Amino acid sequence: MRPEVLTWDARYREDFARLNRAWIEHHFKLEPADQESFADPHGTFVADGGEVFFALVDGKVLGTCALRREPEDGDTYELCKMAVDPEARGLGLGDVLMVAVLRFAQERSARRVYLVSNTKLGPALGLYRKHGFVTVREGEAVSREAGYARADIEMERRF
């Protein structure tokens, strides 16, 4: 099993939504910003200089994530919507996606990549820390500024 990482391809749009809906609905509830990104991943992430990544194994999309370029700060990117199919957890797909995301950001001279998450998501936070992300703040202010009620932690990786 050798995963293949591809960038945005409209054929996999439903996989992006499917994988992300699964973890969000399992732990939280879908929010308007989720629905907007599922409706138009290309417009939300790719059109402004970001990317959507897909991890495929034997032709099946088992992982995905997105990188959104900050329009007002072009050397800052936000890591968004990282998801791995429950049947594929433990196969290293999160690591493969993270390497692709960080390489993409570095190739575009990013100064930093940040993300917002939830402290209940221990395995996800462990993955982020493994790849050099550090906590920059926690609490209610994160959810207010991020636009997601579920967000209670912000992490970043500087280059």
Side-chain angles (χ1 to χ4, degrees), residues 73-105:
D73 182 3
D75 59 2
T76 295
Y77 290 80
E78 180 184 11
L79 175 63
C80 311
K81 302 286 188 271
M82 178 166 267
V84 172
D85 192 304
E87 73 181 49
R89 293 201 180 129
L91 299 179
L93 297 181
D95 289 313
V96 170
L97 286 165
M98 189 65 71
V99 167
V101 162
L102 295 174
R103 181 179 304 126
F104 179 93

Side-chain angles (χ1 to χ4, degrees), residues 23 27-28 117-129 150:
W23 76 263
H27 294 286
F28 308 102
S117 189
N118 187 284
T119 51
K120 289 193 233 176
L121 303 175
L125 299 180
L127 173 70
Y128 305 143
R129 287 184 182 107
R150 65 181 174 263

Side-chain angles (χ1 to χ4, degrees), residues 8-69:
W8 173 253
D9 186 321
R11 291 179 298 169
Y12 304 127
R13 177 179 163 184
E14 287 305 313
D15 292 298
F16 178 78
R18 170 184 59 85
L19 290 167
N20 278 291
R21 271 192 186 98
W23 76 263
I24 294 168
E25 290 175 343
H26 179 77
H27 294 286
F28 308 102
K29 67 176 188 151
L30 289 176
E31 299 185 42
D34 298 315
Q35 299 290 14
E36 290 171 22
S37 68
F38 299 158
D40 185 13
H42 184 275
T44 302
F45 304 108
V46 181
D48 290 329
E51 191 56 84
V52 177
F53 301 85
F54 301 97
L56 285 74
V57 177
D58 297 329
K60 183 177 180 186
V61 178
L62 296 178
T64 189
C65 67
L67 197 59
R68 186 181 66 80
R69 184 174 170 264

